[in-house]
Amino acid sequence: VFDDIQWGEEVFLDLLEHVALLSTESPILLLCMGRPELFDRRSGWSGTVRLQPLPDEASEELLASCIEGRDLPGDVRKRILTAAGGNPLFVEELAAMVESSEDGAVEIPPTIKALLASRLDQLEAPERLVLECGSVEGELFHGGAVQALANDQTGVTARLTALVRKEFVRPERAQLPGEDGFRFRHLLIRDAAYEGLPKAQRAVMHERFADWLTLHGGELVELDELLGYHLEQAHRYLLQLGPSDAHSLSVGERAAERLADGGERALSRYDVSAAANLLSRALELLPTGHPRQAQLRLGLSESLIQLGDLDRAEAILSEVIQGLEGVDERTEWIARVLSAALEIQRSVAPVAARSETLAAAAVDALTALHDDAGIARAWRLATDARNVVGDNGGSEQAAWNALRHARLAGDIRLATEMFHWLGRAAFYGPTPVAEVLQSLDALEAAASAPLQRAQVSLWTGAVRSLAGDDDAHLEVATGRAVLAEYGLRVLHGGTSIAHATLHELAGDWAEAEAVLRSAAQQLEDVGDVAYRSTVLAKLALVLCAQERDEEAAAVAARSAAITAPDDVLIIYVHAARALLAAREGRNDLTAQEVREAVRLAGFLRGTITRGQVFHVLAQAHQLAGEPHRAREAASEALSAYESKGAVSGARQTADLIAELKARATNTERR
């Protein structure tokens, strides 16, 4: 049971959705309660029920249980039920007002806000002050904080006890050692108490609470985030009260520093959603020209790239580069490297060679500056650039270099990203499955973070599936689900290519299509081009396999329109077009597309991609009336699969070779 989930972070809501969707075979009842505004964020959730007003009989029964047999006049009872309108919270709170009233005669407020304000008005001033002080900390608060915010007035403990008795708050397990914890009985009570505070008092109390928490919250993991929030609130109210002055600027800068520290820590643990939120808020508060501004913008851009907010990331990087030119060599190099990596992700022009040249220059410059974090990012760019042109071996070596420098820099996020690239190279590269599994075991032993282990598990499952383990593809689905939970939309979409490949090799074309269509839409939504072009090209082949030629041609055209000329994986488009042309009897076009595919395949020796492409080319040759070339292409595919140890691909191609031989025998007989 989860209550008040409208306050949950996106990652928490993603977790709930993940459990709900993947637990259909388990006897689990997942009950989540939240306010209607939750649907503004999760409008597509199924299995939701909007609570309707209680029937009159049920409201009367609830009221009776609340007053525990106390005899209320009929008109008071009726007024309570009428004002409640079937809302159980209204019933409970109205009954509580009656219980706290000496004569039982209270004016029934028309709204819940008025109801709660009316209850608060009945408190003695010291009790209300205690409640308001608690509301500054939040729904859960601590007695020590109330004492500090109430200017150390005596009797705070007694008044908290009275508020518990009056059902405004209830005892709760404290989050801080040596403290008494309390929770507002309803979040709306907390809201009403907080709204009763003048803005000037809110500003003072938020700042005072931050000072208190600095002394008492040292063990809190999220201390920086909490301090940043309360100082941010104080700063906001100070600006609403009057022009900015030295004090308000100081509070804002303190808030920014705390939010920045929390954001950088969130980025380091790959919580990119939280990092983007915290770093954005920090940058809004920092004064122009602050020494941390450029570094925080780089961190924000990296978070946004991972989340798929590519337009905003590109704009931020452009500003950083323009503002730092000739000023900060280290930061400028890193910004240029990140911008080049983003260009590979988005450009339809040939940029791989230029990016690799930039990466090499950046490695040299940042090595001279002894900046391992920057060197790691430069090698990360080289990894991507070499991957575009089909250099699996070079890409893998660059990824190892990036991982080594990321570890030297203590950059867990970048190290985690390189686990993806190393796993990808293990799957697509020429190294045989048996050796790859050994290297992945070593990589798993080196994994130190949950997402790193998930990445290794994903690629280990993919390689095991190649080796013939029919259940291993489930590890791929699970690993990709973890990427989705972390909000890594681009990476989640990119791994669909391997996931779909496993379904293709198993002949499960419908599943492959579903995976690719979902990824294509997701990548289009975030503005990615590099992965999406390959996803569409693969989708064209999957549609060809289902003999949906018109759709396949359209999808292949969409892929070709956004594929950079130096992206070797456009080979899938040429293979699809070769097969489509052969089916239409256009042998001249078939020959043209085959020649281009064979040229590109020269970069893909021993890879899964090579095996898939030559398998399709064999089919195209057969349809074009070229049985000898069909058998040659099929033999190339079989050789690629066998050298890799891809059992399902080899089996699929062996079946094709047998079919080709049978057709040749029948032709000779005729």
Side-chain angles (χ1 to χ4, degrees):
V1 177
F2 298 92
D3 200 0
D4 289 322
I5 64 170
Q6 74 275 355
W7 296 109
E9 292 287 341
E10 292 300 322
V11 172
F12 173 72
L13 297 179
D14 289 343
L15 170 63
L16 293 179
E17 185 172 351
H18 172 72
V19 173
L21 291 176
L22 296 188
S23 63
T24 54
E25 298 298 323
S26 302
I28 297 175
L29 172 63
L30 188 63
L31 179 61
C32 305
M33 291 167 283
R35 294 183 184 175
E37 56 262 33
L38 176 67
F39 293 100
D40 293 338
R41 300 163 62 189
R42 299 287 166 142
S43 59
W45 272 11
S46 60
T48 56
V49 177
R50 287 184 178 270
L51 294 181
Q52 300 302 313
L54 292 175
D56 291 344
E57 297 80 6
S59 295
E60 290 178 357
E61 182 180 354
L62 176 59
L63 177 58
S65 67
C66 290
I67 61 177
E68 295 180 343
R70 179 178 175 180
D71 187 22
L72 290 179
D75 60 331
V76 174
R77 185 185 296 267
K78 182 178 180 180
R79 289 167 65 195
I80 290 175
L81 294 176
T82 300
N87 186 313
L89 174 61
F90 279 47
V91 173
E92 292 177 348
E93 293 303 323
L94 286 166
M97 287 181 64
V98 171
E99 289 289 318
S100 61
S101 173
E102 292 183 359
D103 57 6
V106 294
E107 181 179 357
I108 302 174
T111 66
I112 188 64
K113 184 176 180 179
L115 163 65
L116 294 173
S118 180
R119 282 199 68 196
L120 293 175
D121 288 343
Q122 294 180 25
L123 292 174
E124 297 178 1
E127 288 181 344
R128 178 159 185 164
L129 175 62
V130 166
L131 211 59
E132 290 170 343
C133 290
S135 73
V136 172
E137 182 175 357
E139 185 182 5
L140 187 150
F141 61 95
H142 296 86
V146 172
Q147 187 75 50
L149 297 184
N151 288 322
D152 294 322
Q153 291 187 16
T154 59
V156 167
T157 301
R159 292 185 180 104
L160 283 169
T161 302
L163 290 169
V164 171
R165 186 176 63 253
K166 294 178 180 180
E167 297 188 346
F168 282 92
V169 299
R170 64 173 184 267
E172 181 70 43
R173 183 178 179 179
Q175 293 182 339
L176 301 175
E179 286 290 332
D180 293 323
F182 298 88
R183 182 181 294 275
F184 283 92
R185 187 165 176 267
H186 293 298
L187 187 59
L188 291 176
I189 297 177
R190 181 265 167 191
D191 293 346
Y194 185 78
E195 289 171 5
L197 286 168
K199 291 182 179 179
Q201 198 170 352
R202 293 183 198 178
V204 171
M205 285 190 170
H206 276 294
E207 187 177 359
R208 192 181 296 166
F209 175 74
D211 293 337
W212 178 87
L213 189 61
T214 301
L215 297 175
H216 297 85
E219 296 184 7
L220 292 174
V221 175
E222 68 278 18
L223 178 62
D224 284 325
E225 292 90 326
L226 289 172
L227 292 174
Y229 167 77
H230 286 283
L231 291 168
E232 181 183 38
Q233 294 303 302
H235 175 73
R236 180 165 67 91
Y237 287 123
L238 287 171
L239 292 184
Q240 290 178 7
L241 291 166
S244 178
D245 57 18
H247 177 63
S248 63
L249 289 174
S250 173
V251 172
E253 190 166 348
R254 286 175 61 199
E257 291 286 355
R258 289 293 189 171
L259 292 170
D261 289 345
E264 290 182 333
R265 190 168 53 254
L267 182 59
S268 73
R269 65 176 183 265
Y270 228 138
D271 188 354
V272 290
S273 179
N277 174 276
L278 293 167
L279 294 175
S280 294
R281 289 158 58 195
L283 285 166
E284 288 178 2
L285 293 168
L286 280 181
T288 302
H290 191 280
R292 292 187 70 178
Q293 199 167 46
Q295 188 63 36
L296 295 182
R297 283 181 173 175
L298 290 183
L300 176 57
S301 67
E302 287 191 283
S303 301
L304 295 172
I305 290 171
Q306 295 294 329
L307 291 169
D309 193 347
L310 305 185
D311 287 336
R312 188 177 168 201
E314 186 174 28
I316 291 171
L317 288 171
S318 178
E319 290 177 5
V320 172
I321 293 170
Q322 292 175 12
L324 289 176
E325 190 169 357
V327 178
D328 182 345
E329 183 182 4
R330 172 197 173 274
T331 307
E332 183 183 349
W333 271 113
I334 296 176
R336 290 174 63 193
V337 164
L338 293 176
S339 182
L342 183 57
E343 188 177 21
I344 289 177
Q345 203 169 334
R346 308 196 76 188
S347 178
V348 297
V351 296
R354 185 169 73 247
S355 295
E356 185 161 7
T357 300
L358 173 64
V363 167
D364 291 341
L366 292 165
T367 298
L369 295 172
H370 307 289
D371 183 1
D372 283 302
I375 297 170
R377 281 158 176 77
W379 279 117
R380 158 67 178 82
L381 174 61
T383 301
D384 204 354
R386 293 174 184 178
N387 172 66
V388 169
V389 297
D391 183 3
N392 278 303
S395 181
E396 182 177 11
Q397 185 56 55
W400 279 114
N401 290 337
L403 177 60
R404 180 166 61 87
H405 285 283
R407 284 173 169 168
L408 289 172
D411 192 326
I412 298 174
R413 189 208 64 78
L414 187 57
T416 301
E417 186 177 349
M418 301 327 296
F419 272 70
H420 161 75
W421 283 99
L422 289 168
R424 184 192 179 284
F427 179 80
Y428 288 106
T431 306
V433 163
E435 295 178 35
V436 164
L437 288 174
Q438 291 179 1
S439 66
L440 287 173
D441 286 342
L443 199 62
E444 183 178 20
S448 60
L451 190 54
Q452 291 178 0
R453 289 187 284 273
Q455 294 272 34
V456 176
S457 177
L458 187 161
W459 291 110
T460 300
V463 173
R464 284 175 51 215
S465 184
L466 287 180
D469 186 337
D470 294 336
D471 296 326
H473 72 278
L474 297 175
E475 295 179 42
V476 180
T478 301
R480 293 190 67 229
V482 173
L483 300 181
E485 289 171 10
Y486 273 81
L488 306 177
R489 301 174 70 190
V490 174
L491 206 54
H492 179 262
T495 53
S496 69
I497 301 168
H499 195 186
T501 295
L502 298 176
H503 286 301
E504 292 172 60
L505 295 177
D508 194 345
W509 305 109
E511 282 296 325
E513 180 184 353
V515 169
L516 292 169
R517 285 195 183 278
S518 175
Q521 185 60 58
Q522 179 173 298
L523 292 168
E524 183 175 8
D525 290 344
V526 302
D528 173 88
V529 172
Y531 279 130
R532 181 160 58 99
S533 63
T534 304
V535 167
L536 290 172
K538 292 280 286 181
L539 179 58
L541 283 177
V542 169
L543 293 170
C544 282
Q546 300 175 78
E547 299 185 0
R548 291 154 61 185
D549 292 0
E550 187 174 341
E551 290 179 72
V555 171
R558 287 170 58 197
S559 174
I562 62 171
T563 303
D566 54 356
D567 187 345
V568 72
L569 292 183
I570 198 173
I571 190 173
Y572 288 126
V573 172
H574 293 296
R577 285 176 167 172
L579 183 57
L580 292 172
R583 285 178 178 169
E584 295 172 359
R586 301 171 63 187
N587 291 352
D588 55 339
L589 181 57
T590 300
Q592 178 183 330
E593 295 291 352
V594 167
R595 282 195 298 271
E596 184 60 17
V598 170
R599 183 188 72 80
L600 292 170
F603 301 104
L604 298 169
R605 295 187 184 280
T607 66
I608 296 301
T609 303
R610 182 179 176 84
Q612 286 193 289
V613 166
F614 274 102
H615 185 103
V616 174
L617 295 183
Q619 294 173 311
H621 280 305
Q622 178 65 25
L623 290 171
E626 301 171 333
H628 179 68
R629 289 185 176 180
R631 290 194 295 273
E632 286 182 344
S635 295
E636 286 282 352
L638 183 61
S639 176
Y641 285 136
E642 288 181 339
S643 67
K644 181 69 177 179
V647 174
S648 53
R651 184 186 304 120
Q652 192 180 77
T653 303
D655 291 342
L656 175 61
I657 290 174
E659 180 185 339
L660 294 175
K661 288 181 177 178
R663 288 183 179 180
T665 300
N666 291 336
T667 300
E668 290 172 1
R669 287 174 180 171
R670 286 197 297 271

